[in-house]
């Protein structure tokens, strides 16, 4: 065998090895980031067309998260996900919650006496966020969790305190009240033109501004900005989910018992009993225009499995409680199974999980559900990547979740 032939064989072997180690698709699971440095990497993508209700097509099963909004094809490649994610986010803002304002130019922050104070000034008006920080002993930097209402949300505080995780309460009423009076809330002074906005747009904006504050006081408050989590329960579980979906600086989202308008899909909830359907949820949490879809949810160009999917490739854990019919957890289960296919497509299925278990009060984490919560905290806030986070617990063995997604990849959006 001559030298030229030997060299050719050697080069072919090298190419084969490289193809195995670095797939042509562009990303391996190990290369897909766990979190990002900016609120939205895809903010410069053009928004898709937003047809009026009368012009929207009927899609009876769950919408395909991989299909482009213009109907011209689909992509399951991670390299396309940022663009597709922003299409979904634009539709959710346009049809459901209202525009989430971009980061303002005038933001200042101070950290004194265990209190973070963030001041946001727009149009000559200033909104102030304050948060009483629970800081572990030591130098840090420490991972952190933003808890809706209190430092740990509705989760037991020891889950975080025993792991030296900073607890940062988000006082949402400083942005918008639980039952807003449209046009009369603190955020409306900054954006009077957004009188129509839903609370989940306003609250997501507030969480992002709180994270801006953490960035501004990084030299005084030792938070590791690569490991920020958020959690809340019930209406605050929805809040945590929206915040995690719309801010890519959040590494871990734990949405506890979020119900209709959270993890549950509007379409699936319509097929169940006395649950929180689109027509029965709180009007002030969403735009009033959303309720035009209450009699025909199949015209929504998205559903809430896609809201969850917006968190990808970052980590998301959804907790449910089937003892409370209103939460529509069978719908949440179907929605979670659909959303999980996005993480699966990218080869990072361990970053998404759900645990739906009864036998406990609303917003009270039972001991038998702690293990999966601890696993997600350990892996995605403490960086213990050998922890097993593959969890799919539910009480719905007979629910036919596949019928809602069998049409994906076809051009016929009906039940197969």
């Amino acid at each position: 065998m001559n030298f030229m032939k030997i060299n050719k064989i050697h080069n072919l072997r090298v190419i084969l090895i490289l193809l195995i180690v670095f797939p042509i698709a562009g990303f391996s699971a190990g290369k897909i980031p766990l979190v990002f440095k900016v609120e939205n990497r895809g903010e410069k993508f053009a928004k898709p067309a937003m047809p009026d209700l009368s012009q929207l097509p009927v899609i009876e099963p769950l919408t395909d998260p991989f299909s482009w909004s213009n109907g011209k094809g689909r992509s399951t490649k991670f390299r396309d996900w940022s663009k597709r994610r922003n299409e979904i986010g634009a539709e959710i803002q346009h049809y459901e919650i209202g525009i989430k304002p971009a980061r303002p130019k005038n933001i200042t922050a101070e950290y004194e006496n265990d209190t973070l104070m963030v001041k946001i000034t727009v149009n000559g008006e200033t909104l102030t966020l304050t948060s009483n920080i629970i800081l572990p002993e030591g130098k840090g930097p420490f991972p952190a969790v933003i808890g809706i209402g209190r430092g740990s949300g509705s989760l037991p505080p020891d889950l975080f305190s025993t792991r030296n995780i900073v607890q940062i309460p988000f006082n949402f009423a400083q942005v918008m009240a639980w039952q807003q009076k449209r046009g009369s809330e603190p955020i409306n002074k900054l954006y009077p033109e957004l009188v129509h906005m839903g609370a989940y747009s306003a609250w997501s904006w507030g969480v992002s501004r709180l994270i801006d504050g953490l960035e501004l006081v990084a030299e005084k408050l030792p938070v590791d900005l690569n490991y920020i989590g958020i959690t809340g329960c019930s209406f605050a579980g929805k809040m945590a989910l929206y915040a995690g979906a719309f801010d890519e600086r959040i590494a871990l989202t734990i949405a506890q018992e979020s119900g209709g308008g959270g993890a549950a899909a509007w379409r699936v909830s319509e097929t169940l009993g006395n649950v929180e359907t689109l027509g029965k949820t709180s009007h002030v949490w969403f735009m009033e225009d959303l309720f035009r879809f209450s009699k025909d949810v199949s015209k929504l160009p998205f559903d809430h499995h896609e809201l969850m999917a917006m968190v990808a490739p970052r980590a998301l854990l959804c907790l449910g409680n089937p003892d409370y019919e209103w939460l529509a957890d069978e719908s949440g289960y179907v929605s979670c199974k659909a959303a999980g296919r996005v993480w699966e497509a990218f080869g990072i299925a361990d970053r998404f999980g759900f645990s739906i278990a009864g036998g406990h009060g609303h917003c009270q984490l039972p001991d038998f559900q702690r293990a999966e919560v601890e696993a997600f905290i350990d892996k995605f806030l403490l960086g213990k990547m050998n922890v097993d986070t593959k969890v799919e617990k539910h009480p719905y063995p007979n629910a036919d979740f596949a019928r809602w997604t069998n049409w994906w990849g076809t051009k016929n959006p009906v039940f197969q």
Side-chain angles (χ1 to χ4, degrees):
M1 187 178 293
N2 61 35
F3 175 79
M4 293 286 289
K5 192 173 287 187
I6 291 172
N7 193 48
K8 186 176 182 179
I9 292 171
H10 172 75
N11 289 340
L12 284 172
R13 285 175 178 170
V14 170
I15 290 169
L16 285 172
I17 291 170
L18 288 172
L19 286 174
I20 291 169
V21 178
F22 303 107
I24 284 176
F27 291 91
S28 66
K31 288 187 171 184
I32 294 179
L34 290 160
V35 72
F36 301 93
K37 298 289 187 182
V38 296
E39 182 178 342
N40 180 17
R41 294 171 299 133
E43 63 181 351
K44 293 184 179 179
F45 284 118
K47 291 180 173 58
M50 301 292 179
D52 186 65
L53 174 62
S54 62
Q55 299 174 314
L56 287 166
V58 171
I59 303 175
E60 294 179 344
L62 291 178
T63 47
D64 184 350
F66 300 113
S67 290
W68 300 112
S69 293
N70 62 11
K72 296 179 180 180
R74 69 197 296 268
S75 174
T76 59
K77 304 299 184 183
F78 179 69
R79 62 172 174 254
D80 293 323
W81 180 243
S82 184
K83 180 178 179 180
R84 176 61 191 141
R85 175 185 171 274
N86 273 269
E87 287 190 339
I88 297 168
E91 290 172 346
I92 289 173
Q93 290 176 79
H94 182 82
Y95 294 106
E96 185 168 59
I97 61 172
I99 296 297
K100 176 190 175 185
R103 176 175 178 161
K105 294 180 179 179
N106 192 344
I107 302 178
T108 61
E110 299 177 0
Y111 178 64
E112 298 288 346
N113 300 320
D114 299 325
T115 300
L116 173 65
M117 180 178 294
V118 184
K119 292 187 176 181
I120 308 104
T121 302
V122 179
N123 295 323
E125 297 284 349
T126 299
L127 183 151
T128 301
L129 300 174
T130 57
S131 184
N132 296 321
I133 307 296
I134 302 173
L135 189 66
E137 294 183 1
K139 293 183 178 180
F142 305 103
V145 64
I146 297 171
I148 310 300
R150 67 170 187 169
S152 64
S154 293
L155 295 176
D158 67 280
L159 285 170
F160 305 102
S161 61
T162 59
R163 290 171 167 80
N164 288 334
I165 295 173
V166 181
Q167 297 178 55
I168 304 171
F170 173 52
N171 298 311
F172 58 88
Q174 294 176 342
V175 177
M176 182 172 281
W178 175 62
Q179 292 291 320
Q180 70 151 313
K181 294 180 180 178
R182 291 196 191 273
S184 302
E185 299 298 322
I187 192 173
N188 296 130
K189 294 180 180 179
L190 276 59
Y191 304 101
E193 74 279 11
L194 298 181
V195 64
H196 61 281
M197 75 189 312
Y200 288 118
S201 175
W203 290 330
S204 298
W205 175 90
V207 169
S208 291
R209 305 295 69 85
L210 193 62
I211 296 174
D212 294 342
L214 294 174
E215 293 175 345
L216 292 171
V217 299
E219 292 186 0
K220 296 185 69 175
L221 178 55
V223 167
D224 189 336
L225 298 172
N226 293 311
Y227 295 99
I228 296 176
I230 190 165
T231 186
C233 185
S234 198
F235 86 96
K238 306 186 215 311
M239 194 189 308
L241 182 55
Y242 278 100
F246 281 94
D247 198 317
E248 295 188 283
R249 295 171 294 181
I250 296 173
L252 171 63
T253 300
I254 303 177
Q256 185 181 10
E257 301 181 40
S258 60
W266 294 127
R267 285 167 170 82
V268 183
S269 294
E270 286 292 332
T271 69
L272 302 177
N274 184 29
V275 303
E276 187 176 8
T277 60
L278 193 155
K280 294 178 181 178
T281 195
S282 172
H283 281 232
V284 296
W285 292 344
F286 304 92
M287 288 195 308
E288 192 61 41
D289 276 358
L290 171 67
F291 296 92
R292 297 178 301 157
F293 293 91
S294 61
K295 294 181 180 179
D296 196 357
V297 295
S298 62
K299 281 209 160 192
L300 274 174
F302 62 89
D303 215 317
H304 277 220
H305 62 299
E306 291 178 292
L307 173 65
M308 286 190 283
M310 282 183 65
V311 178
R314 296 163 294 124
L316 171 62
L317 174 64
C318 291
L319 302 175
N321 187 345
D323 290 351
Y324 294 82
E325 183 182 7
W326 182 252
L327 295 176
D329 272 331
E330 183 174 347
S331 174
Y333 162 65
V334 173
S335 187
C336 282
K337 288 294 288 184
R341 289 180 58 178
V342 173
W343 280 267
E344 290 168 8
F346 303 150
I348 50 171
D350 63 312
R351 301 185 192 181
F352 174 73
F354 58 90
S355 176
I356 303 170
H360 59 93
H362 184 42
C363 294
Q364 296 177 9
L365 186 76
D367 288 341
F368 55 80
Q369 216 173 24
R370 280 182 66 108
E372 43 262 43
V373 177
E374 290 176 328
F376 269 76
I377 292 172
D378 287 344
K379 192 166 194 173
F380 300 110
L381 291 187
L382 300 185
K384 298 180 179 180
M385 300 310 294
N386 61 335
V387 176
D388 184 6
T389 50
K390 294 179 181 178
V391 55
E392 288 192 1
K393 293 184 178 179
H394 65 91
Y396 305 111
N398 299 320
D400 186 4
F401 66 86
R403 68 186 288 264
W404 291 91
T405 59
N406 281 337
W407 81 275
W408 290 5
T410 76
K411 294 183 179 181
N412 191 21
V414 297
F415 292 107
Q416 302 292 310

